[in-house]
Amino acid sequence: MRVAVVGVGWYGFKPVVPELSFREMMFEAAVRAYEDAGVDPRRDVDAFISCQEDFWEGVAISNEFAPEPIGGALRPTITITGDGLQCVGQAYMMVRSGAFKVVVVEAHAKPSSIVTLQEVYELSLDPFIRTLKIPNPLFQAGLDAVAYMRRSGASREHLAMVAVKNKTRGLLNPRASYSAKVTLDEVLNSKPVVYPLTRYEIAGFTDVAINVVLASEDVARRFGDKHVWIDGVWWATEVGTGVIEWHEWGRMPSMKTAALGAYKLAGIEDPLRQTDFAEVEDRFSYMELLALEELGLGGDGVHRLLEQGYYNPGGGYPVNPSGGSLSIGVTLEATGLSRLLEAILQLRGEAGGVQLKDVRRAIVASWRGPPTYTSAVAVVSKD
Amino acid sequence: MKPERTPGRYIREEDLRRLPGVIEYKPVARYSYSAGQALSEFLRGLKEGRILGKLCPSCRRVLVPPRVYCEFCFIHTTEWVEVPGTGVVETAVVSYIGTARERLEKPEIIGVIRLDAPGYREGSFDFAGLFHRLCGVTEDDVKSGRVIGMRVRPRWRPPEERRGSMLDIECFEPVQP
C-alpha cells in the first residue's frame, strides 16, 4: 500500500507574520492544503498530527492547541515534539497500518514572537553544561564545522560557495525571504559570527505554517490528481542533546541512519542515480556538504563536486534548487516540511522560477538543528 | 494550626542549595505574541466597553472569544457581532491559594460565564463564554451551587483605565433584580 501526498498548503514564509496569531496561521495553511487536496477535514480526514515544541510555542502543553485550527476538534489528533518530517514518518506508518486512510500533518513556526531565542536555545542544553555560560549556543555549529573541514579537506571557500549558490538561487523563489545577490568575496570578507561561519552562512528565522495531506493509494484517487508518493521515510537521534561530548564531531550519524532507513523502504541502492535532486539541511553552510556526504550523494569528496558545479541547478545533481534554508530561513519544527513542500512543488511542476526540468524522484533531508542530533529523511516521487 | 518544632538539625534553604548535586537555573523565556485578527479586534472592543463575537455563516454561532474560523464547520467566520455582556454563570470555583500555591488572604472566586449570544441551541454544551473573576458572590454561593445559573454582567473599569485587555473588565457581578 503506497502513501501519497494529495495536498499541500502554507501561509507565511516571512521573517515576521505580525497580522496573524499562530492559530490563525495554522488555519490559513490548513484551508489551503484541504482545498488543494479536495478534502473536507471534518469528514474525510481520519487523524491529524502536529509537530511542535512548547518552548518554541511559548505555550506549555501546547499540543492542546493543535486540533482546533486544523479541523481536528473532537477527532484523533496527536502532537509530536520533533521536526515536521518526523510527523510525516508517523503519518506514513498510520496510513500503511491500514487503520487510517487520510492523515494530515501540520507544523508551524513563529520565531518572531520569541524575544529570548538565544536563551531558549541555551535552555535546551544539559543544565550541567549551561553553568559554563557559553555566550552563543551556535557554538555547536562551529565545533562541527571545524571538525568537518579538518576531516574532509573542505576549505572556507567551499563553505562560502554553498552560501553563494543557495542565497542567489533563492532570488527566484517567492518563499525565500533571505535570498540575496552575494559574491564569494563578500562572504569570505565578512566577519565570522562563529568561526568559520559568517552571517551569510547562518540561516535566519522565518514564520510559517505548513500543512500536508497524506492518503493511502486506494483512496488517493478521490483527492485530485497531483499525487506525490512517499517512497520511504525514516529518522534517528544520535546520543542526543543530553551528552554533547559524545557526538561524533564533524559527522551526522543520525542523518546517515535516517537515509539508510528511507532508502531501504524506497528500494534505493544508488541514490545519485536513482533520484534526480535533493532538498537537504543547510541552515549552516557546512551542513549542506556534511548532509550530502551522510546521504551518500557524492562520497567523501562532495566539496570537489560542489566546486565543479555538480550541485548547481543546471548541474549533474541539483541540491537545494529552492535556495534552501539559507534563503528560506529556518522554520523551527516546520523546517523539514518546508523542504518537503519545495520537493513536492518541484515534482508537481509547480515550482515557478526555481522549477527543474524532468525530475521524477527526490530526497528530502532535515536536521532538527542545534543542539539536537536528530535527523529525518524522506524519498518522494511522482509516477 | 502550626506543627510543633520537632527535634533534629534544621537546614536552612541556602545550605540546602549549596549541596553538590544541585544545579540552579532560571530560564529566560520571553515572548511577544501576536493576538491575531480575531483577538486584536476583541481587545479593541473591550477598550470601548463592548464584547465582540464573530459569526459563523454556516452554523450561525457567534463565537466568543472570537476566532477567524469556526472549529466545527471549518470555514472562515464573517461578521462581527456585539453581544450583550449579560449572561449566566455556567460554573464557578473558590480558590484559597494563588498561582505559587501561597494561601490567599481573601479567597478568589472565578467562573465561566455563558453569555447571552445568539446561535446556540438551548442546553448545548458549547456557548459564547468568558472566563473571569466573579465579584459580589460569596463563598457559600459557590459551595451551595446557588451561583450556577446566576445572572451576571461585566463590571467595567472606567474608560480612561482601559488598556485593551481582559482586565478592562474588572469582574462579572450579579445583576440586581
mmCIF file of all heavy atoms in Angstrom, chain A residues 174-204:
data_model
loop_
_atom_site.group_PDB
_atom_site.id
_atom_site.type_symbol
_atom_site.label_atom_id
_atom_site.label_comp_id
_atom_site.label_asym_id
_atom_site.label_seq_id
_atom_site.Cartn_x
_atom_site.Cartn_y
_atom_site.Cartn_z
ATOM 1 N N PRO A 174 9.647 32.790 -4.444
ATOM 2 C CA PRO A 174 8.907 33.773 -3.633
ATOM 3 C C PRO A 174 8.866 33.439 -2.143
ATOM 4 O O PRO A 174 8.520 34.290 -1.319
ATOM 5 C CB PRO A 174 7.494 33.733 -4.230
ATOM 6 C CG PRO A 174 7.399 32.434 -4.954
ATOM 7 C CD PRO A 174 8.791 32.104 -5.412
ATOM 8 N N ARG A 175 9.201 32.205 -1.775
ATOM 9 C CA ARG A 175 9.193 31.835 -0.352
ATOM 10 C C ARG A 175 10.536 32.110 0.327
ATOM 11 O O ARG A 175 10.698 31.848 1.511
ATOM 12 C CB ARG A 175 8.829 30.345 -0.204
ATOM 13 C CG ARG A 175 7.367 30.040 -0.506
ATOM 14 C CD ARG A 175 7.073 28.558 -0.555
ATOM 15 N NE ARG A 175 7.755 27.900 -1.666
ATOM 16 C CZ ARG A 175 7.344 27.945 -2.935
ATOM 17 N NH1 ARG A 175 6.247 28.596 -3.247
ATOM 18 N NH2 ARG A 175 8.020 27.349 -3.882
ATOM 19 N N ALA A 176 11.502 32.608 -0.450
ATOM 20 C CA ALA A 176 12.873 32.746 0.072
ATOM 21 C C ALA A 176 13.177 34.186 0.475
ATOM 22 O O ALA A 176 13.830 34.936 -0.252
ATOM 23 C CB ALA A 176 13.867 32.241 -0.969
ATOM 24 N N SER A 177 12.734 34.561 1.668
ATOM 25 C CA SER A 177 12.885 35.952 2.125
ATOM 26 C C SER A 177 14.336 36.360 2.357
ATOM 27 O O SER A 177 14.651 37.534 2.364
ATOM 28 C CB SER A 177 12.115 36.163 3.428
ATOM 29 O OG SER A 177 10.750 35.933 3.222
ATOM 30 N N TYR A 178 15.202 35.402 2.630
ATOM 31 C CA TYR A 178 16.595 35.726 2.964
ATOM 32 C C TYR A 178 17.554 35.571 1.785
ATOM 33 O O TYR A 178 18.755 35.538 1.961
ATOM 34 C CB TYR A 178 17.079 34.861 4.128
ATOM 35 C CG TYR A 178 16.412 35.189 5.442
ATOM 36 C CD1 TYR A 178 15.318 34.461 5.896
ATOM 37 C CD2 TYR A 178 16.883 36.243 6.233
ATOM 38 C CE1 TYR A 178 14.706 34.757 7.113
ATOM 39 C CE2 TYR A 178 16.283 36.549 7.439
ATOM 40 C CZ TYR A 178 15.199 35.810 7.880
ATOM 41 O OH TYR A 178 14.597 36.111 9.073
ATOM 42 N N SER A 179 16.989 35.443 0.575
ATOM 43 C CA SER A 179 17.866 35.306 -0.579
ATOM 44 C C SER A 179 18.572 36.637 -0.842
ATOM 45 O O SER A 179 18.097 37.690 -0.412
ATOM 46 C CB SER A 179 17.062 34.872 -1.800
ATOM 47 O OG SER A 179 15.995 35.763 -2.005
ATOM 48 N N ALA A 180 19.701 36.572 -1.520
ATOM 49 C CA ALA A 180 20.480 37.789 -1.771
ATOM 50 C C ALA A 180 21.432 37.559 -2.927
ATOM 51 O O ALA A 180 21.884 36.439 -3.156
ATOM 52 C CB ALA A 180 21.282 38.165 -0.518
ATOM 53 N N LYS A 181 21.721 38.637 -3.619
ATOM 54 C CA LYS A 181 22.750 38.589 -4.645
ATOM 55 C C LYS A 181 24.069 38.774 -3.904
ATOM 56 O O LYS A 181 24.351 39.859 -3.389
ATOM 57 C CB LYS A 181 22.510 39.735 -5.638
ATOM 58 C CG LYS A 181 23.396 39.694 -6.850
ATOM 59 C CD LYS A 181 22.866 38.733 -7.905
ATOM 60 C CE LYS A 181 23.832 38.640 -9.079
ATOM 61 N NZ LYS A 181 23.778 37.298 -9.695
ATOM 62 N N VAL A 182 24.829 37.716 -3.816
ATOM 63 C CA VAL A 182 26.037 37.803 -2.994
ATOM 64 C C VAL A 182 27.183 37.080 -3.706
ATOM 65 O O VAL A 182 26.959 36.105 -4.418
ATOM 66 C CB VAL A 182 25.763 37.234 -1.575
ATOM 67 C CG1 VAL A 182 25.318 35.794 -1.625
ATOM 68 C CG2 VAL A 182 26.968 37.365 -0.658
ATOM 69 N N THR A 183 28.403 37.598 -3.550
ATOM 70 C CA THR A 183 29.558 37.004 -4.215
ATOM 71 C C THR A 183 30.423 36.252 -3.206
ATOM 72 O O THR A 183 30.322 36.470 -1.993
ATOM 73 C CB THR A 183 30.436 38.091 -4.872
ATOM 74 O OG1 THR A 183 30.990 38.894 -3.825
ATOM 75 C CG2 THR A 183 29.634 38.958 -5.830
ATOM 76 N N LEU A 184 31.295 35.407 -3.743
ATOM 77 C CA LEU A 184 32.194 34.627 -2.902
ATOM 78 C C LEU A 184 33.059 35.554 -2.029
ATOM 79 O O LEU A 184 33.247 35.312 -0.837
ATOM 80 C CB LEU A 184 33.081 33.752 -3.797
ATOM 81 C CG LEU A 184 33.742 32.554 -3.130
ATOM 82 C CD1 LEU A 184 32.711 31.593 -2.556
ATOM 83 C CD2 LEU A 184 34.638 31.827 -4.133
ATOM 84 N N ASP A 185 33.561 36.651 -2.625
ATOM 85 C CA ASP A 185 34.402 37.586 -1.879
ATOM 86 C C ASP A 185 33.653 38.223 -0.726
ATOM 87 O O ASP A 185 34.188 38.397 0.361
ATOM 88 C CB ASP A 185 34.933 38.689 -2.814
ATOM 89 C CG ASP A 185 36.115 38.185 -3.631
ATOM 90 O OD1 ASP A 185 36.647 37.106 -3.267
ATOM 91 O OD2 ASP A 185 36.481 38.846 -4.627
ATOM 92 N N GLU A 186 32.381 38.587 -1.000
ATOM 93 C CA GLU A 186 31.586 39.218 0.065
ATOM 94 C C GLU A 186 31.409 38.276 1.247
ATOM 95 O O GLU A 186 31.477 38.690 2.403
ATOM 96 C CB GLU A 186 30.220 39.650 -0.479
ATOM 97 C CG GLU A 186 30.294 40.957 -1.253
ATOM 98 C CD GLU A 186 29.065 41.207 -2.110
ATOM 99 O OE1 GLU A 186 28.224 40.306 -2.279
ATOM 100 O OE2 GLU A 186 28.948 42.327 -2.623
ATOM 101 N N VAL A 187 31.181 37.001 0.940
ATOM 102 C CA VAL A 187 31.010 36.028 2.030
ATOM 103 C C VAL A 187 32.326 35.871 2.786
ATOM 104 O O VAL A 187 32.363 35.942 4.017
ATOM 105 C CB VAL A 187 30.528 34.664 1.484
ATOM 106 C CG1 VAL A 187 30.417 33.651 2.616
ATOM 107 C CG2 VAL A 187 29.196 34.803 0.764
ATOM 108 N N LEU A 188 33.419 35.701 2.033
ATOM 109 C CA LEU A 188 34.712 35.433 2.666
ATOM 110 C C LEU A 188 35.251 36.635 3.439
ATOM 111 O O LEU A 188 35.961 36.482 4.434
ATOM 112 C CB LEU A 188 35.729 34.990 1.617
ATOM 113 C CG LEU A 188 35.482 33.587 1.043
ATOM 114 C CD1 LEU A 188 36.373 33.338 -0.175
ATOM 115 C CD2 LEU A 188 35.720 32.515 2.101
ATOM 116 N N ASN A 189 34.908 37.838 2.998
ATOM 117 C CA ASN A 189 35.418 39.037 3.667
ATOM 118 C C ASN A 189 34.534 39.514 4.800
ATOM 119 O O ASN A 189 34.846 40.504 5.463
ATOM 120 C CB ASN A 189 35.604 40.174 2.651
ATOM 121 C CG ASN A 189 36.708 39.832 1.653
ATOM 122 O OD1 ASN A 189 37.632 39.090 1.980
ATOM 123 N ND2 ASN A 189 36.591 40.348 0.440
ATOM 124 N N SER A 190 33.426 38.820 4.990
ATOM 125 C CA SER A 190 32.538 39.217 6.076
ATOM 126 C C SER A 190 33.057 38.584 7.372
ATOM 127 O O SER A 190 33.661 37.517 7.367
ATOM 128 C CB SER A 190 31.138 38.754 5.693
ATOM 129 O OG SER A 190 30.351 38.515 6.792
ATOM 130 N N LYS A 191 32.843 39.265 8.501
ATOM 131 C CA LYS A 191 33.382 38.789 9.779
ATOM 132 C C LYS A 191 32.689 37.501 10.220
ATOM 133 O O LYS A 191 31.475 37.412 10.131
ATOM 134 C CB LYS A 191 33.151 39.843 10.865
ATOM 135 C CG LYS A 191 34.215 40.888 10.944
ATOM 136 C CD LYS A 191 33.987 41.733 12.193
ATOM 137 C CE LYS A 191 34.853 42.983 12.148
ATOM 138 N NZ LYS A 191 34.403 43.955 13.155
ATOM 139 N N PRO A 192 33.436 36.542 10.743
ATOM 140 C CA PRO A 192 32.767 35.326 11.234
ATOM 141 C C PRO A 192 31.872 35.645 12.438
ATOM 142 O O PRO A 192 32.200 36.513 13.236
ATOM 143 C CB PRO A 192 33.919 34.411 11.659
ATOM 144 C CG PRO A 192 35.170 35.056 11.210
ATOM 145 C CD PRO A 192 34.884 36.488 10.920
ATOM 146 N N VAL A 193 30.748 34.941 12.512
ATOM 147 C CA VAL A 193 29.879 35.040 13.691
ATOM 148 C C VAL A 193 30.352 34.007 14.701
ATOM 149 O O VAL A 193 30.610 34.303 15.864
ATOM 150 C CB VAL A 193 28.407 34.799 13.297
ATOM 151 C CG1 VAL A 193 27.514 34.784 14.533
ATOM 152 C CG2 VAL A 193 27.933 35.851 12.296
ATOM 153 N N VAL A 194 30.423 32.772 14.225
ATOM 154 C CA VAL A 194 31.021 31.676 14.982
ATOM 155 C C VAL A 194 31.960 31.042 13.967
ATOM 156 O O VAL A 194 31.491 30.527 12.963
ATOM 157 C CB VAL A 194 29.954 30.647 15.412
ATOM 158 C CG1 VAL A 194 30.602 29.445 16.072
ATOM 159 C CG2 VAL A 194 28.931 31.260 16.344
ATOM 160 N N TYR A 195 33.257 31.110 14.205
ATOM 161 C CA TYR A 195 34.198 30.631 13.198
ATOM 162 C C TYR A 195 33.856 29.199 12.803
ATOM 163 O O TYR A 195 33.580 28.391 13.674
ATOM 164 C CB TYR A 195 35.657 30.692 13.694
ATOM 165 C CG TYR A 195 36.614 30.242 12.618
ATOM 166 C CD1 TYR A 195 37.057 31.127 11.640
ATOM 167 C CD2 TYR A 195 37.008 28.903 12.531
ATOM 168 C CE1 TYR A 195 37.879 30.695 10.606
ATOM 169 C CE2 TYR A 195 37.831 28.469 11.500
ATOM 170 C CZ TYR A 195 38.258 29.368 10.540
ATOM 171 O OH TYR A 195 39.043 28.939 9.513
ATOM 172 N N PRO A 196 33.845 28.812 11.555
ATOM 173 C CA PRO A 196 34.207 29.583 10.361
ATOM 174 C C PRO A 196 33.000 30.209 9.666
ATOM 175 O O PRO A 196 33.088 30.586 8.499
ATOM 176 C CB PRO A 196 34.813 28.495 9.474
ATOM 177 C CG PRO A 196 33.992 27.271 9.808
ATOM 178 C CD PRO A 196 33.571 27.401 11.232
ATOM 179 N N LEU A 197 31.891 30.340 10.373
ATOM 180 C CA LEU A 197 30.654 30.756 9.713
ATOM 181 C C LEU A 197 30.434 32.271 9.792
ATOM 182 O O LEU A 197 30.466 32.851 10.879
ATOM 183 C CB LEU A 197 29.463 30.031 10.349
ATOM 184 C CG LEU A 197 29.592 28.493 10.389
ATOM 185 C CD1 LEU A 197 28.509 27.894 11.275
ATOM 186 C CD2 LEU A 197 29.528 27.914 8.987
ATOM 187 N N THR A 198 30.189 32.888 8.628
ATOM 188 C CA THR A 198 29.842 34.304 8.586
ATOM 189 C C THR A 198 28.322 34.414 8.604
ATOM 190 O O THR A 198 27.615 33.413 8.535
ATOM 191 C CB THR A 198 30.353 34.958 7.290
ATOM 192 O OG1 THR A 198 29.672 34.342 6.188
ATOM 193 C CG2 THR A 198 31.849 34.745 7.127
ATOM 194 N N ARG A 199 27.827 35.633 8.662
ATOM 195 C CA ARG A 199 26.369 35.789 8.740
ATOM 196 C C ARG A 199 25.681 35.290 7.467
ATOM 197 O O ARG A 199 24.512 34.947 7.494
ATOM 198 C CB ARG A 199 25.978 37.233 9.057
ATOM 199 C CG ARG A 199 26.318 38.220 7.971
ATOM 200 C CD ARG A 199 26.030 39.654 8.446
ATOM 201 N NE ARG A 199 26.333 40.618 7.403
ATOM 202 C CZ ARG A 199 25.459 41.031 6.498
ATOM 203 N NH1 ARG A 199 24.224 40.574 6.488
ATOM 204 N NH2 ARG A 199 25.809 41.910 5.576
ATOM 205 N N TYR A 200 26.394 35.245 6.369
ATOM 206 C CA TYR A 200 25.807 34.716 5.132
ATOM 207 C C TYR A 200 25.630 33.204 5.197
ATOM 208 O O TYR A 200 24.932 32.615 4.387
ATOM 209 C CB TYR A 200 26.704 35.028 3.927
ATOM 210 C CG TYR A 200 26.817 36.491 3.610
ATOM 211 C CD1 TYR A 200 27.987 37.194 3.872
ATOM 212 C CD2 TYR A 200 25.745 37.174 3.025
ATOM 213 C CE1 TYR A 200 28.101 38.543 3.571
ATOM 214 C CE2 TYR A 200 25.844 38.525 2.721
ATOM 215 C CZ TYR A 200 27.030 39.199 3.001
ATOM 216 O OH TYR A 200 27.127 40.529 2.697
ATOM 217 N N GLU A 201 26.323 32.576 6.130
ATOM 218 C CA GLU A 201 26.340 31.110 6.198
ATOM 219 C C GLU A 201 25.507 30.560 7.346
ATOM 220 O O GLU A 201 25.576 29.376 7.663
ATOM 221 C CB GLU A 201 27.790 30.629 6.336
ATOM 222 C CG GLU A 201 28.621 30.983 5.116
ATOM 223 C CD GLU A 201 30.090 30.784 5.395
ATOM 224 O OE1 GLU A 201 30.524 29.638 5.292
ATOM 225 O OE2 GLU A 201 30.772 31.771 5.740
ATOM 226 N N ILE A 202 24.758 31.445 7.981
ATOM 227 C CA ILE A 202 23.854 31.033 9.061
ATOM 228 C C ILE A 202 22.454 31.488 8.666
ATOM 229 O O ILE A 202 22.233 32.679 8.413
ATOM 230 C CB ILE A 202 24.268 31.677 10.407
ATOM 231 C CG1 ILE A 202 25.687 31.237 10.779
ATOM 232 C CG2 ILE A 202 23.270 31.327 11.503
ATOM 233 C CD1 ILE A 202 26.260 31.945 11.992
ATOM 234 N N ALA A 203 21.539 30.547 8.568
ATOM 235 C CA ALA A 203 20.192 30.895 8.109
ATOM 236 C C ALA A 203 19.468 31.752 9.137
ATOM 237 O O ALA A 203 19.662 31.597 10.338
ATOM 238 C CB ALA A 203 19.404 29.620 7.833
ATOM 239 N N GLY A 204 18.620 32.650 8.647
ATOM 240 C CA GLY A 204 17.762 33.450 9.514
ATOM 241 C C GLY A 204 16.537 32.644 9.932
ATOM 242 O O GLY A 204 16.436 31.450 9.641
#
